[in-house]
Amino acid sequence: VEGYVAVAMGRRHWVEEMLRLQGGAVCFLSIREKPKERLRIDLTALLDVYPLETSQRPPLPDYSFFVIETFPKLHYVMVENDRVRRTWLTAFDKARRAACQGAGSLRQRFLSSGGTDAFLARPQA
């Protein structure tokens, strides 16, 4: 699944990019000249993907929004309407279920460990 979206880069700065779900990952591709991968996130590393509540939406009534949540960042995504947003949310749900079979999602692993192991672990040199 892929399509053109706008991604929030700051409070008032949106950039048009291509969003692609493939091979167990979500990819953000810059489209300035030719599509170039800007960011790749493994689907098992996603905490959640959900619609942005009406009260939190920017004042752009003709568009629809959803959030891709990871530990370090919330990625705000704008699409052309509610139908397209539902299509993306359904695609993320199916792809995450397939990617997390057996391993479990990052959220599930974090909660099952009591939520502390991830913060206590230190990188090995």
Side-chain angles (χ1 to χ4, degrees), residues 49-87:
V49 179
Y50 54 89
L52 192 60
E53 293 186 27
T54 306
S55 63
Q56 297 176 332
R57 291 183 185 182
L60 300 167
D62 296 336
Y63 297 96
S64 193
F65 303 85
F66 65 93
V67 179
I68 301 171
E69 182 181 0
T70 63
F71 263 126
K73 186 175 181 180
L74 297 174
H75 302 271
Y76 293 91
V77 180
M78 177 172 55
V79 294
E80 58 186 305
N81 57 43
D82 286 340
R83 182 187 57 78
V84 174
R85 183 189 67 192
R86 282 191 303 271
T87 301

Side-chain angles (χ1 to χ4, degrees), residues 4 6 8 11-13 17 29 36 49 58-59 70 72 74 86 92 102-103 105-106 111 118 121 123:
Y4 292 101
R11 290 182 60 85
R12 297 180 186 191
H13 183 203
E17 293 189 329
L29 296 113
K36 180 181 176 185
V49 179
T70 63
L74 297 174
R86 282 191 303 271
F92 268 104
S105 71
L106 183 59
L111 294 175

